[in-house]
Amino acid sequence: MLRSLRLLRSRPNILSLGTKVYGSNPPPSQIIHVQKVKFRKRWFKPNNFIIAACVYYFCFQVYKTSVVDTLTHWADEQVKELSDEEREEMEEEILEPLFIPFPFTTRLVESAPYRSTDPEWKAFITVNKNPALVKSIQSGLAVLTCKIASSNSALVQKCGNDMQLGRWWLDIHYPYRPPPVFIRKGLLIDDDGISIAEDPIEPVVALWIQRALWPSTLTLSLYSFSEALVKQNASNFAKLFGLDANPTPTPPLQQTIEKIHQQFKKSAPKSNSKEHSALPSTSTQAANGSSPESASPIEKRSTESSPAPGSTTASPGSGVSPLPIIPSDTDSDKPKTLMDSSVLKFTQEHTSGPWEAFKQKFAQTWRPIRELPPRGAIYVSGLVEITTARAFITVDVAAWWDPQTENFDLKTAAFHLKSLRMKTQKPHRGKADE
């Protein structure tokens, strides 16, 4: 009982201990040093490590028993049902090495020069010692150029469709080395294990990947677009404050407004004269008496104030020239589309100049991707002249002739118009000559 009463007893106040020691006088001033203490916990506990290892091992065993063993048993049953031929095919596919390429590892490697023992070099010697074959190669390229020119609609429209092969100047070059090869690194998985190796890649695929990763043409075109747009906005902003160094002429809208004001000024005196000439007729009619069909002043005012819809005439005494009434957009039954919105039209007009700069820069920097010539091909280049009844056409030609197929590789061929000379030239006839 006494213990319970002692628990209910009020405890002494801690703040009153200072008054008991020092009395009413405050304690003397002292310097208090505050130090921060950081309690660090032990990050490595053997018990936690052992428990986590046991949990992971248990989860691995459950996954292996329920998933991996089930799939392995099912695969063994499927293999047993296969025939011997299917098993051999499957084993051959499994034995094929698997190559996983690494990104950004593609590089261009120059091929080794041809040797005297290479079959390509022996083919060069065979072609060089056969003048008839050399001439047939040159004439074949000239005929091919004439066919391509005759299939061009622009040349046919300007020069005529009666194209004939004229003179040609073609040279044959035997390359010193094969075309370069693109190689990329990757992870090779085969019977020997896993290793890092290099594997060749097709040139067209490598060039397309390179252009996709480094789009220099698109970047330069966008830069030209942004530069032209910034200059245009800066010029428009300067015009607002009258800082334009080269002031442009009056815009078309302001010219149209000035023409309307001039028409108002010219039509004002004519309308006043008509009003004065109409006054005597009304006064004589009033003197002779009102006609039986005359309307009251209220009816006249109502009929004058409510013109017929769609009428383009004005009142004789208004002093304003008649103007056409433009129907509003709400009167049209056609639904509005995105192309009819004023925001889109304003954007198109505002970006027309930068867009032209974008297209011009894109046309200057764009080059089509061409494949590399086949190994052992012979390079033929020069000029081919084509004649018509109206003009002389000169074409710059470059192509590769493959000794294995005995034909030109059209994927790597290039045909450019060198010059176009008309046989009869006429001077320009202007208005003064007419």
Side-chain angles (χ1 to χ4, degrees):
M1 186 68 181
L2 294 175
R3 290 182 179 179
S4 60
L5 292 175
R6 289 177 181 176
L7 292 174
L8 296 174
R9 185 181 60 183
S10 61
R11 297 181 179 180
N13 190 3
I14 300 175
L15 299 176
S16 62
L17 295 176
T19 55
K20 291 181 179 180
V21 175
Y22 297 101
S24 59
N25 297 328
S29 60
Q30 296 180 357
I31 299 174
I32 301 174
H33 298 278
V34 178
Q35 296 181 356
K36 295 182 178 180
V37 180
K38 185 177 182 181
F39 297 95
R40 297 181 62 182
K41 296 182 179 179
R42 295 177 60 185
W43 63 273
F44 178 75
K45 293 182 179 180
N47 297 333
N48 296 342
F49 182 77
I50 295 171
I51 294 172
C54 294
V55 170
Y56 290 150
Y57 181 75
F58 177 76
C59 294
F60 174 74
Q61 291 295 332
V62 170
Y63 177 78
K64 182 181 177 182
T65 305
S66 59
V67 179
V68 178
D69 293 344
T70 305
L71 293 176
T72 304
H73 181 68
W74 176 80
D76 294 338
E77 292 180 354
Q78 296 295 327
V79 171
K80 291 178 181 179
E81 296 178 358
L82 296 176
S83 61
D84 296 337
E85 295 179 357
E86 293 176 348
R87 289 180 182 178
E88 291 178 358
E89 292 179 359
M90 187 178 65
E91 290 177 357
E92 291 178 358
E93 293 179 356
I94 293 174
L95 293 176
E96 291 182 358
L98 177 63
F99 184 79
I100 303 174
F102 294 150
F104 304 102
T105 57
T106 306
R107 59 190 180 92
L108 183 66
V109 178
E110 292 290 341
S111 301
Y114 289 115
R115 297 181 180 180
S116 59
T117 57
D118 292 339
E120 294 84 3
W121 190 259
K122 293 179 180 180
F124 294 164
I125 295 174
T126 304
V127 172
N128 191 28
K129 289 183 178 181
N130 192 351
L133 182 58
V134 172
K135 191 172 182 180
S136 65
I137 293 172
Q138 295 173 343
S139 61
L141 182 58
V143 172
L144 179 62
T145 305
C146 185
K147 290 181 180 179
I148 293 176
S150 60
S151 62
N152 192 332
S153 59
L155 287 177
V156 170
Q157 184 178 3
K158 188 172 184 178
C159 305
N161 56 359
D162 54 340
M163 294 187 181
Q164 296 180 0
L165 180 62
R167 298 173 297 175
W168 42 264
W169 303 267
L170 296 173
D171 298 329
I172 292 182
H173 305 273
Y174 303 99
Y176 177 70
R177 62 176 67 212
V181 181
F182 287 91
I183 295 177
R184 58 183 176 180
K185 290 185 177 180
L187 197 64
L188 181 63
I189 303 174
D190 53 2
D191 297 337
D192 299 335
I194 301 175
S195 60
I196 297 176
E198 292 182 346
D199 185 66
I201 183 175
E202 295 183 2
V204 179
V205 177
L207 292 175
W208 276 113
I209 293 174
Q210 184 179 3
R211 178 165 290 185
L213 295 177
W214 291 276
S216 58
T217 302
L218 183 61
T219 303
L220 293 175
S221 303
L222 290 176
Y223 178 78
S224 300
F225 178 86
S226 304
E227 184 180 8
L229 187 61
V230 169
K231 288 182 179 179
Q232 180 179 344
N233 293 336
S235 177
N236 295 338
F237 186 76
K239 289 178 183 178
L240 296 176
F241 296 94
L243 301 176
D244 189 11
N246 298 320
T248 57
T250 308
L253 180 60
Q254 190 172 356
Q255 293 179 359
T256 307
I257 295 174
E258 291 179 357
K259 289 181 180 179
I260 293 174
H261 283 297
Q262 291 177 2
Q263 291 180 359
F264 286 167
K265 292 179 181 178
K266 291 180 181 179
S267 61
K270 294 181 180 179
S271 61
N272 292 333
S273 62
K274 290 181 180 180
E275 184 179 0
H276 291 302
S277 63
L279 286 176
S281 61
T282 54
S283 61
T284 54
Q285 186 178 1
N288 295 330
S290 61
S291 62
E293 297 179 358
S294 62
S296 61
I298 299 175
E299 293 176 353
K300 291 181 180 179
R301 190 175 301 172
S302 61
T303 55
E304 292 176 358
S305 61
S306 60
S311 62
T312 58
T313 57
S315 61
S318 60
V320 180
S321 62
L323 293 175
I325 298 176
I326 302 173
S328 61
D329 296 339
T330 57
D331 298 337
S332 60
D333 298 334
K334 297 180 180 180
K336 287 187 177 181
T337 59
L338 182 62
M339 299 299 295
D340 298 335
S341 61
S342 58
V343 178
L344 182 61
K345 292 180 180 179
F346 174 77
T347 305
Q348 291 177 349
E349 295 176 358
H350 186 67
T351 58
S352 60
W355 178 246
E356 291 295 332
F358 176 89
K359 292 191 293 184
Q360 182 179 2
K361 193 65 176 180
F362 189 85
Q364 291 176 357
T365 56
W366 173 257
R367 295 294 180 272
I369 294 178
R370 294 176 181 171
E371 297 184 6
L372 296 179
R375 184 182 175 90
I378 299 173
Y379 184 67
V380 186
S381 64
L383 300 176
V384 177
E385 187 181 55
I386 302 171
T387 60
T388 62
R390 290 183 284 179
F392 295 99
I393 305 171
T394 305
V395 183
D396 189 0
V397 187
W400 293 84
W401 188 79
D402 192 359
Q404 296 181 358
T405 60
E406 295 183 355
N407 202 349
F408 289 96
D409 187 17
L410 297 179
K411 296 180 180 179
T412 57
F415 303 90
H416 301 285
L417 182 63
K418 183 70 174 180
S419 63
L420 178 63
R421 296 174 297 163
M422 304 301 294
K423 290 184 177 181
T424 57
Q425 297 182 356
K426 296 180 181 181
H428 176 70
R429 296 184 62 184
K431 294 183 179 179
D433 299 335
E434 296 177 359

